[in-house]
Every structure is written in C-alpha cells, then in structure tokens.
Amino acid sequence: MKFAYRFSGLLGTVYRRGNLSFTRDGSALVSPVGNRISVFDLKNNKCETLPLATRLNIVCVGLSPDGRLAILIDEEGAALLVSLIGKCVIHHFHFHKPVHSVSFSPDGKKFVITKDNVALMYHAPGRKREFNAFVLDKTYYGPYDETTCIDWTDDSKCFAVGSKDMSTWVFGAERWANLIYYSLGGHKDVIVACFFEEDSLDLYTISQDAALCVWQCDTELDGLKPIPPKDAGREKNASKDDEEFLEEPKGEEIHGKANPNEQETREKVKYSRVAKYFFNKEGDFNNLTCAAYHKKTHLLVTGFASGIFHLHELPDFNLIHSLSISDQRIASVSINCTGDWIAFGCSGLGQLLVWEWQSESYVLKQQGHFNSMVSLAYSPDGQYIVTGGEDGKVKVWNTSSSFCFVTFTEHTSGVTAVTFTSNGYVILSASLDGTVRAFDLHRYRNFRTFTSPRPSQFSCLAVDSSGEIVSAGSQDSFEIFIWSMQSGRLLDVLSGHEGPISSLSFNPMKCVLASASWDKTVKLWDMLDSWRTKETLILNSDVLVVAFRPDGKELAVAALNGQITFWDHENAVQTGSIEGRHDLQMGRKELDKITAKQAAKGKSFTTLCYSADGQSILAGGLSKFVCIYNVKEQILMKKFEISCNFSLDAMEEYLDRRKMTEFGSMALIDEGAGGEDDVAIPLPGVKRGDMSYRHFKPEIRVTCLRFSPTGRSWAATTTEGLLIYSLDSGLIFDPFELDIDITPSNIHKTLHQKEYTMAIIMAFKLNEKKLIQEVMEAVPSNEVDVVCSSLPDLYVEKVLEFLASAFEISCHLEFYLTWAHKLLMLHGQKLKTRSVKLLPVIQFLQKSIQRHFEDVSKLCEWNIYNIKYALAISQQRGMKRLAEETSADEEDLDSDSDFLMQEGFVSEDSAMCII
C-alpha cells in the first residue's frame, strides 16, 4: 500500500490553450490544461484536475447540455468521450484531421465538429446503448477555406458555421424544404464567431478585423418546412448496400453553393444585412481574437489581441464596459448560463480570469508560472506548497483547494530554490539575481533580503531546523554564504570547493551542513565548530544533488554517472548504491542524432527526496519517469510516468521515420502560416506579425521532487506543471494480522455486546475504512477515555492515522477531537520514544486539525463581528429611546409646574426647584 500513489492534482498551470466552458449550472468552469482538463468549482473555491489525459494538447472541449459528458479533442484530431460524473474515459475516436471547434445541440441529440472546410454532424453518444458512440449523420460542404466556429439555434433545427474564407454558412440540421444551406458574406477578414439570436434565425457574425454584421431572416423558426419523404425506402436500401462494405456509415452529404441560381433560391429562406458595426481598433495588432454571446441578456463579449475586452448590448451595439486584463492576447471567452460571470483565458501567460461584470469584481484570478517551474517545497504541516520558476516569481499554493493565494514578484531573475522554515510562516527563495529573500506568510511581504559582498548567482538554498541559519551556494564563485535570519547579517563565507555548488542540505537532527559540488566531492560543515569541514566524501563523478534522511542518520548523493550512493556521514562510510541510469529511460528528441539508448548513457538523476518515513527515496531527472527505490533493499519499487503528452519533446523512444527526409528532420521546418499563433508570411514590404516568433516543443523533465511531511502525497515540478500524487487507500485491500474469525458479521456482533476495544481492534485488522468509521462512531463519548486507555500500543498509531483522514471528510468534529486528545494524553510518553517513525502520522493529524481550526476561527470571528454590530445597533436604539423618554418626562414636569403656578399653589422659584 505504501506505493499505491495515483495522480490527484495538477497545480501551477490553470490554462494552456483551447476553449473555456462553463458547466450547466454555471458554478464551475472547465479549462483545458495541456493534455488534461481542470474543473474550477467557483462557489466552493476548489479546483480538480481529472485523472485522464489525451495523447497531445487539447484544442477544443465540447460539453453536453446535461453536463454529464464532454468531448476532448487534441491537436491531431484524436477525441476522448469523457464522463464528468465518473471522471473516466468512455470512448476513443479519431477524426484524422485537426478539429477547430465542437458543439452539442441544445437538445443534446447531435453534435457538430468542424475540420478542414467541412462540418460533420454526429449522433450524440449516451442517448441509448450503442456499440459505436460516434455515428456520423451528415457531412456539410460549402466553405472554401478552414471552418472556425459553430453556433446552434435554440430548438436545434439549424446551425451556423464560420470560415476563414470570410463567409458564414447556415445549415439545416434536418433537410428543410425552405432551408438546406445559406451563405452569408459581408466581411473582409476571417470569421471569429457567429451567434443566433434567441428563438430566431437572425444572426450576428464577427470577423477578425473587429467588424460585426447583423443579419435578419425573413422566416421564423416555426416557418421551417420539412421535406416530404420521397422514395425513402429505396434510398435507405441503397445506402445500406453501400455501407455494407464500409467500416462506418458515411452519412448524408450536403453540398452548399456560394452563388446558387434563382430557381434554387425560390421560396427559400432569405437573409438581409441590417447593420454593420466596427469596434474601436488601435493598430494592426489589435485583432479581435474571440467572442461569446449570452442570448437571454443580449450581452456580447469580445476579446482582443492586446488583452482588452469589450461588453456590448445587442442589437443596438451599446458599449457597457471596456477593460484591459492582460498584455497578452485573450485566447478564449465564455459566459455562464445566468450571464453574470465571464471567463477569460490568456494562453501567452497562462492566465485564467472569471469576471463578474455587474459588480466589476474578480470571482477567480489565477496565473501559473509562464516559464518552467524549477523548485518546490512543502510547508511543515503539508497544507501549502511553494514553487519557484524561471519567470522570477514565487507562488504559494493551497493543497486542499489547488489555488495559488499569494505571488511574490520581488526577484528580477529566475528562482533556483525555495524552502520553508520549520515554523511554516517564512518562505526563503534563492535566485540568479544574486539575492536570497525571506517572505512573511502573515503579512505577505519581503522582510529580509540577503546578499553577498560580491555579486553571485545562487543555485541552491538550505535553512537549518531552527530557522535561524540560512545558507546559499554560488555557481560562479564556488562559495557557500551563511546568514543570520534574525539580523540579516552575513556570518561566514565557506570556501573549499573547486567547482560550482550544486546542492545544499542541513541535517534535521544536528547542526551539520552537507554541500555538493561539481568538483566530485561532498563536504560536511559543522556549524558548532566554527564551520570547519568535518568530513569530505569523494565520489567518482560530479555531484548533482544531496539529501539527508528525515532522522539525519543517512545521506543520499546523486552523481553525474547516474548512481545514487548512500553514506553513513558520521563515519564517512558508503553503505550502498543504486545504478539508476537504466531506470531513467530517456526519450529521443526530434533533433537528436543518436538513439535514446545512447543518449541515456550521459543522463543522471538531478533531484532526490526521501519519503517521510525514510524507507524509500524518490529520484527524477531529464525524463518522463520518476523512480521510487527501497533504500534498504536498493531495488526499484515503482516507476511513475508523469506525462503521456506527445506535444512535449523527448517523449518518444524511437525516431519516427515518416518525419525524416533526405534533408533532415521535418521538425527543422518552421511552418508559420499566419494562424492564431503563427507568424504571418507576408509579401515583401508588408509589416505584419512577429518574425522573431518560433515554434518549439518544450522538453519533458522533472526539476524537483518533494515528499509531503504527512507521508500521504508527493509532488513534482515538471514541464507540464506541479503534479501531485496522493496515497489512494481506497483501491487496495490491505488487512493487518488477519485471521479466520475476523469478519464484518463478527465485528458487528462484538459491537452489539458493547466490547468497544475488541471491536476496534478487529475492524483495524480487517482494515475496511467504512467499517472502522462505523465502529469508531458507535463508541459513546463517555466511553472514549476507557477505550483509549485499553488500546494496545500497536493500534494507537493506526487510530491516529484514521483520525487524521476522518477529520478531512467527517462532520463529527468534537467527537474526533475528543478521541485525538485522549489518545495523545494517555499514550504521549510512549509515542515520544517512536517520534521519528510516527512523525508523518502526527503531522498529517496536525494538518487536518489546523485546517478545521482556521475554518472555525474565521466563522467565530465573523460571528463575533456580527454580535458586536448587533449590540452597537441595539445600544444606539436604546439610547435614542431613553433620550425620547427623558424628553417626554421633562415635558410632563413643565406642564405640571405651569398648572401649579397658575392655581397659586407654589411660587415660581418653587416650580423651578421641582423641575
């Protein structure tokens, strides 16, 4: 069970390319992230990446109207039919050509895809039991160039298709007598989007040169007439005979004409252009790139290449709002079903924004690292992950919500290393700009900046267990710099290495610093003995990374020759080694002249990390594989393939001969043709596009690995983003000391006899989570103390681990807190003797309790504020009421004194005294 880790989340990347889509209820957003999709739950503030992947990057996503199915299509036209409820792949299909867009009909019975210059209509899958989920219904021809966009009428009778030939075609989903096809012109550039008006055939078309045409139809939707069936039986038999020899039915073909004759247009639907509008346009590069239309509110949203978006009300074209949200092109726009939220995706910087236009506020604002991630670190409680990237940014991510909640941008060059201090409230980062910065997670500010006497590029970073000593290694001066966290002063400069410092690591239990260098040595520096070199470990190759075991008794070293060696650093003795070069399994790059097997001989592991219990070690490098080894046995336990995305370089093991010509690889040819991101190849003298832009495929690599302190997950920074693999206890039956009498019926029988301790022990022996939960929750709260005191020591650890996982899902907060409190109070002394082994379990428990503490404390603070506000209001009203009563009493006294004076009972002075 220790190696039953599965992919559980993708952080650090929120949007790559493709269309954004809101779910049916409008509360969640589906975003394509490379070859995966992420679902952002905007109401509960959570993100989930589905555990499925396409072979290449996803370019378009189609959601069914009921929100149950999705069609994901990659760059080459391979499609996956996905269940969003079961989060699994139902069917594979290949369209054999790149697909530009996909859209389900509003009734959910059909869907249309556009590829090349045709539109293909398929029967929607999932309506009934079927062998082939994608059955072709009709093929529509008409445009001369590639098709770009699709929109359906509300009753699913017709759909419109835009094209790069500047025309828009309206097709009937069925053969209507008065509408089979209709061609619309009127534009001078590529059609970006087309939209039908609500319950109408009236149409809006939008082109790339920021022009909007309004088309009015002389026929309502109800006026479409069906064709009477003629020789239907004969046609069906003929089509059946043809399809007997085909792998799949071709379906009906409809060929449209751009200029039909008068006879063909007689008694047919006619369109007329009633208006043409132009958006505000500044410069040649401010092209309109995407658009979305909400039919009920008549709201049109348009995105531009300059990062500006406009909101207009149609059909009058009234400008409601205009805002710049990025300095890169807006690649995709989507509006939710209520028309309140607008989602924007910017592929250049990997930005994802959800904007509430009425209140002019952000619902979601996320951006990943737009260059590669280089390093990561877990917080001591495992709740947060900090990442550093080549873009110079330091981002902090919440592991439970998968959202980035703070970004630090103080570095002016790439970040090479990040780490948390032991208290979890300070983040340290080293950069190539020659600074090490300390960030405060309470106030979100950079409160310390450490620099060297001479400018140096820092390649690695380490902080001691107390959080007081900060060290960084230089890659140009071969020195290690030591600073004090409290004062920010430089304490010492350690010299001795003869090559760049590649890695630093502090012993968790002692004041010893290990430094690795390209000079083939690892040096151990004693902090208590004036930073003198305690030991020097000599290896056979350049040292790339060094890591201490969590108990501090062992040191792991990865070298350039592909070996991982283990050392007893106290005695400077090597205790074991792993030959890991063959486990890396390098892929072959497109421009490599040698095979992957030959290239692997020069590759090695560049990152190491011990598991929380120290029994295994994770290793990764310039490969798509992450290896986990057993340290004691020195054998490979499992290999994790972190990506199957062939849009990345070095993924294929063998060279594709089809891509080789007599002049070399076809990958050398830059096929820029003026598409969405391509360079326009103009005539001489025409200035258009960025001629410095080039296509490139990022190479797959693992730059950093870290195990969570809880031992329940591990994370890797890769070319695709920050991948998290979690322990999946639900997939494996893993009993503990099981015998023949341990059955669910016997456990229930023991529970009914109120033998709670025995029932708990039996449940943990069977190790079924639901059964354990049932037994634990059946124990009365007044019996918890007795049961805890009678539990054997062996089961205390298991109960604590169960409590930590139960806190994450259960609503019985007080009940489980009582269990945790009693166990720790009664068995605390015995647990201390096994603190190293139990540390991951205790940290997992602390993480779960801390999360609840933060949630409840926020709720309590909000309640206290409301109570204070209510008291202040009531006091104001009470004082007002008291003032009114006092003034009323004074008026009564005045009237009484006047009466007494008039009657002559008292003098004027006496009356004043009464008042």
Side-chain angles (χ1 to χ4, degrees):
M1 182 176 163
K2 286 179 183 177
F3 304 103
Y5 291 94
R6 66 178 178 88
F7 172 80
S8 66
L10 172 64
L11 283 69
T13 311
V14 290
Y15 175 74
R16 281 276 173 83
R17 62 177 294 192
N19 61 302
L20 299 170
S21 306
F22 277 99
T23 53
R24 184 185 180 187
D25 59 356
S27 65
L29 179 68
V30 178
S31 170
V33 184
N35 66 333
R36 303 178 185 270
I37 58 168
S38 294
V39 181
F40 293 86
D41 187 345
L42 301 174
K43 287 193 174 175
N44 297 319
N45 199 36
K46 284 191 175 180
C47 170
E48 182 187 15
T49 305
L50 301 191
L52 46 93
T54 56
R55 190 173 177 272
L56 297 164
N57 285 335
I58 296 170
V59 292
C60 47
V61 178
L63 295 186
S64 63
D66 58 6
R68 295 181 179 182
L69 299 175
I71 296 174
L72 316 179
I73 304 174
D74 69 16
E75 293 169 340
E76 289 185 352
L80 295 183
L81 178 64
V82 173
S83 168
L84 293 178
I85 297 171
K87 298 169 188 172
C88 58
V89 177
I90 299 173
H91 185 68
H92 291 260
F93 191 77
H94 209 298
F95 292 108
H96 303 294
K97 290 284 182 70
V99 174
H100 303 105
S101 56
V102 57
S103 178
F104 275 87
S105 62
D107 62 4
K109 293 181 179 178
K110 304 283 177 70
F111 73 89
V112 172
I113 64 109
T114 58
K115 67 172 186 178
D116 287 344
N117 63 335
V118 299
L120 304 174
M121 186 165 69
Y122 288 82
H123 293 285
R127 309 293 295 185
K128 59 181 187 296
R129 287 176 178 267
E130 55 212 348
F131 176 71
N132 184 7
F134 287 14
V135 178
L136 182 64
D137 183 26
K138 294 181 180 67
T139 305
Y140 296 88
Y141 296 89
Y144 294 108
D145 206 342
E146 291 182 359
T147 45
T148 56
C149 54
I150 310 166
D151 191 54
W152 285 84
T153 55
D154 288 343
D155 60 358
S156 306
K157 288 183 178 179
C158 303
F159 65 92
V161 174
S163 171
K164 285 186 178 179
D165 66 0
M166 300 175 285
S167 67
T168 306
W169 291 74
V170 181
F171 292 109
E174 302 294 335
R175 272 185 173 270
W176 305 108
N178 51 348
L179 177 60
I180 299 173
Y181 61 87
Y182 199 99
S183 175
L184 302 170
H187 284 283
K188 297 180 180 178
D189 209 337
V190 174
I191 304 297
V192 173
C194 54
F195 306 106
F196 281 104
E197 189 55 272
E198 186 180 18
D199 296 323
S200 172
L201 281 169
D202 294 348
L203 191 67
Y204 302 106
T205 56
I206 303 168
S207 61
Q208 192 172 302
D209 61 352
L212 167 71
C213 288
V214 183
W215 303 90
Q216 191 173 28
C217 185
D218 64 352
T219 309
E220 295 296 323
L221 282 169
D222 297 336
L224 295 175
K225 304 168 188 174
I227 293 179
K230 291 179 181 178
D231 303 326
R234 190 174 61 193
E235 285 179 10
K236 281 184 182 177
N237 291 332
S239 63
K240 280 183 183 177
D241 293 340
D242 293 339
E243 287 169 9
E244 278 181 8
F245 302 100
L246 297 172
E247 281 190 24
E248 58 178 81
K250 268 192 172 182
E252 187 181 354
E253 291 187 359
I254 294 172
H255 293 265
K257 296 179 183 177
N259 298 307
N261 55 42
E262 288 184 13
Q263 188 177 355
E264 289 174 342
T265 58
R266 194 178 300 151
E267 296 182 0
K268 296 287 172 68
V269 166
K270 288 185 174 60
Y271 276 92
S272 58
R273 192 177 76 187
V274 294
K276 186 172 184 178
Y277 302 104
F278 294 92
F279 297 85
N280 292 329
K281 195 172 108 171
E282 299 173 3
D284 289 333
F285 298 107
N286 197 10
N287 290 332
L288 192 148
T289 53
C290 54
Y293 181 61
H294 191 259
K295 297 181 180 181
K296 290 181 181 176
T297 56
H298 305 285
L299 184 73
L300 175 69
V301 187
T302 48
F304 291 82
S306 61
I308 296 172
F309 77 90
H310 294 322
L311 264 67
H312 286 88
E313 186 182 11
L314 296 181
D316 298 328
F317 200 67
N318 298 324
L319 181 65
I320 300 171
H321 197 65
S322 180
L323 187 71
S324 176
I325 57 170
S326 176
D327 56 356
Q328 296 282 329
R329 73 189 287 273
I330 301 174
S332 179
V333 174
S334 181
I335 308 177
N336 74 339
C337 58
T338 59
D340 296 327
W341 294 346
I342 305 167
F344 300 96
C346 303
S347 55
L349 296 176
Q351 290 174 303
L352 182 64
L353 310 167
V354 178
W355 174 262
E356 189 173 47
W357 66 275
Q358 289 173 327
S359 64
E360 298 187 7
S361 61
Y362 286 110
V363 178
L364 174 73
K365 190 178 182 182
Q366 291 285 301
Q367 179 182 346
H369 293 275
F370 58 84
N371 268 347
S372 298
M373 287 187 193
V374 175
S375 57
L376 81 116
Y378 269 98
S379 63
D381 60 0
Q383 269 194 298
Y384 307 120
I385 294 176
V386 59
T387 57
E390 290 178 357
D391 56 0
K393 292 181 180 177
V394 176
K395 289 179 174 286
V396 189
W397 307 83
N398 189 316
T399 54
S400 55
S401 68
S402 299
F403 282 149
C404 171
F405 63 90
V406 63
T407 302
F408 300 108
T409 57
E410 280 78 4
H411 284 295
T412 56
S413 187
V415 177
T416 53
V418 289
T419 186
F420 273 95
T421 56
S422 55
N423 62 8
Y425 298 120
V426 176
I427 292 170
L428 288 156
S429 62
S431 171
L432 296 175
D433 64 4
T435 62
V436 173
R437 295 179 184 269
F439 302 99
D440 181 7
L441 275 187
H442 283 305
R443 297 177 183 173
Y444 301 137
R445 64 191 179 96
N446 175 206
F447 70 94
R448 284 273 188 281
T449 303
F450 307 101
T451 56
S452 55
R454 297 185 306 278
S456 297
Q457 291 187 315
F458 296 123
S459 57
C460 50
L461 176 71
V463 61
D464 75 328
S465 55
S466 66
E468 294 299 321
I469 303 296
V470 179
S471 65
S474 169
Q475 66 180 22
D476 45 9
S477 64
F478 313 157
E479 294 171 328
I480 301 165
F481 298 89
I482 310 292
W483 296 275
S484 166
M485 175 69 82
Q486 281 194 343
S487 64
R489 292 176 56 193
L490 181 67
L491 299 178
D492 207 343
V493 180
L494 309 181
S495 303
H497 281 294
E498 298 173 0
I501 312 298
S502 55
S503 180
L504 294 174
S505 181
F506 268 102
N507 190 322
M509 299 301 169
K510 293 182 180 179
C511 301
V512 174
L513 174 68
S515 62
S517 172
W518 292 6
D519 62 3
K520 303 182 182 180
T521 64
V522 174
K523 291 185 182 290
L524 299 171
W525 312 83
D526 194 344
M527 188 171 69
L528 299 179
D529 191 13
S530 304
W531 293 105
R532 290 182 183 172
T533 308
K534 191 179 175 185
E535 292 287 352
T536 300
L537 311 178
I538 300 172
L539 288 96
N540 299 324
S541 186
D542 296 5
V543 185
L544 301 180
V545 63
V546 63
F548 274 103
R549 203 166 68 185
D551 62 1
K553 294 180 179 178
E554 188 176 73
L555 186 69
V557 180
L560 193 62
N561 58 5
Q563 275 193 341
I564 303 171
T565 53
F566 301 97
W567 296 79
D568 175 6
H569 61 90
E570 291 288 339
N571 303 313
V573 176
Q574 182 177 334
T575 57
S577 68
I578 294 171
E579 188 67 46
R581 185 188 298 154
H582 303 295
D583 299 326
L584 263 175
Q585 276 194 7
M586 284 290 301
R588 183 165 183 172
K589 287 190 261 185
E590 286 185 336
L591 303 179
D592 274 355
K593 305 288 187 187
I594 56 175
T595 62
K597 191 175 181 182
Q598 290 294 326
K601 290 181 179 178
K603 301 301 178 183
S604 55
F605 293 116
T606 57
T607 176
L608 288 179
C609 176
Y610 273 98
S611 62
D613 57 6
Q615 293 181 6
S616 50
I617 193 165
L618 276 171
L622 303 180
S623 166
K624 63 179 177 179
F625 290 104
V626 171
C627 304
I628 186 163
Y629 294 96
N630 185 295
V631 177
K632 190 178 179 182
E633 303 293 336
Q634 297 174 11
I635 57 172
L636 178 69
M637 301 298 294
K638 188 170 181 180
K639 281 168 72 171
F640 298 93
E641 187 177 6
I642 58 167
S643 178
C644 59
N645 187 359
F646 282 84
S647 295
L648 302 174
D649 206 359
M651 286 292 295
E652 298 191 51
E653 192 173 347
Y654 300 103
L655 192 67
D656 189 350
R657 296 290 176 190
R658 291 173 295 180
K659 293 181 181 177
M660 292 300 293
T661 65
E662 57 181 316
F663 305 106
S665 173
M666 291 177 68
L668 291 165
I669 303 169
D670 188 16
E671 298 178 353
E676 287 183 3
D677 298 317
D678 298 328
V679 180
I681 301 177
L683 294 170
V686 178
K687 293 182 179 179
R688 185 184 173 193
D690 181 8
M691 293 305 291
S692 67
Y693 182 86
R694 290 293 179 269
H695 292 275
F696 70 96
K697 290 175 77 171
E699 185 183 347
I700 185 68
R701 63 176 64 192
V702 179
T703 52
C704 190
L705 290 167
R706 289 293 178 268
F707 239 101
S708 170
T710 63
R712 307 280 304 175
S713 61
W714 58 270
T717 51
T718 68
T719 313
E720 289 218 292
L722 174 60
L723 302 176
I724 296 180
Y725 286 77
S726 297
L727 195 62
D728 186 18
S729 56
L731 291 177
I732 294 177
F733 174 61
D734 185 25
F736 175 73
E737 294 185 354
L738 190 65
D739 57 46
I740 198 166
D741 296 326
I742 307 296
T743 61
S745 58
N746 284 350
I747 293 169
H748 285 117
K749 196 183 293 181
T750 310
L751 193 61
H752 287 308
Q753 293 170 0
K754 297 187 177 180
E755 295 180 13
Y756 299 118
T757 307
M758 184 55 67
I760 289 171
I761 291 170
M762 291 170 72
F764 274 103
K765 282 184 176 182
L766 195 61
N767 210 3
E768 284 286 340
K769 197 166 184 179
K770 287 186 178 178
L771 191 61
I772 294 170
Q773 185 177 347
E774 183 186 344
V775 172
M776 293 285 287
E777 291 179 359
V779 179
S781 55
N782 58 347
E783 296 277 341
V784 171
D785 201 346
V786 179
V787 174
C788 286
S789 60
S790 59
L791 268 177
D793 294 343
L794 193 60
Y795 290 90
V796 172
E797 180 187 345
K798 293 189 171 294
V799 174
L800 284 173
E801 192 171 352
F802 167 76
L803 290 175
S805 59
F807 272 120
E808 294 191 335
I809 54 172
S810 178
C811 57
H812 304 298
L813 187 57
E814 186 183 359
F815 178 72
Y816 283 124
L817 278 173
T818 306
W819 268 100
H821 179 254
K822 297 294 182 187
L823 278 172
L824 293 172
M825 290 298 289
L826 291 166
H827 299 273
Q829 291 299 323
K830 291 178 182 176
L831 293 174
K832 267 188 178 180
T833 58
R834 295 182 291 145
S835 59
V836 176
K837 188 181 177 184
L838 290 174
L839 190 61
V841 177
I842 300 298
Q843 285 177 329
F844 184 31
L845 184 66
Q846 180 195 353
K847 175 190 172 183
S848 303
I849 294 173
Q850 181 69 25
R851 189 170 62 83
H852 279 293
F853 171 73
E854 288 174 1
D855 293 344
V856 173
S857 60
K858 283 178 187 175
L859 181 64
C860 291
E861 285 171 8
W862 176 246
N863 289 341
I864 289 167
Y865 169 76
N866 284 335
I867 290 166
K868 284 181 178 177
Y869 178 74
L871 284 171
I873 294 292
S874 63
Q875 283 174 4
Q876 283 181 357
R877 288 180 179 173
M879 290 172 70
K880 192 176 180 182
R881 195 179 298 115
L882 186 64
E884 289 173 357
E885 288 174 358
T886 306
S887 61
D889 292 343
E890 287 176 357
E891 287 175 4
D892 292 342
L893 284 170
D894 285 341
S895 60
D896 290 344
S897 62
D898 291 342
F899 173 74
L900 291 171
M901 285 172 64
Q902 285 173 5
E903 295 296 327
F905 292 116
V906 293
S907 65
E908 190 174 344
D909 295 335
S910 302
M912 289 300 291
C913 290
I914 292 168
I915 294 170

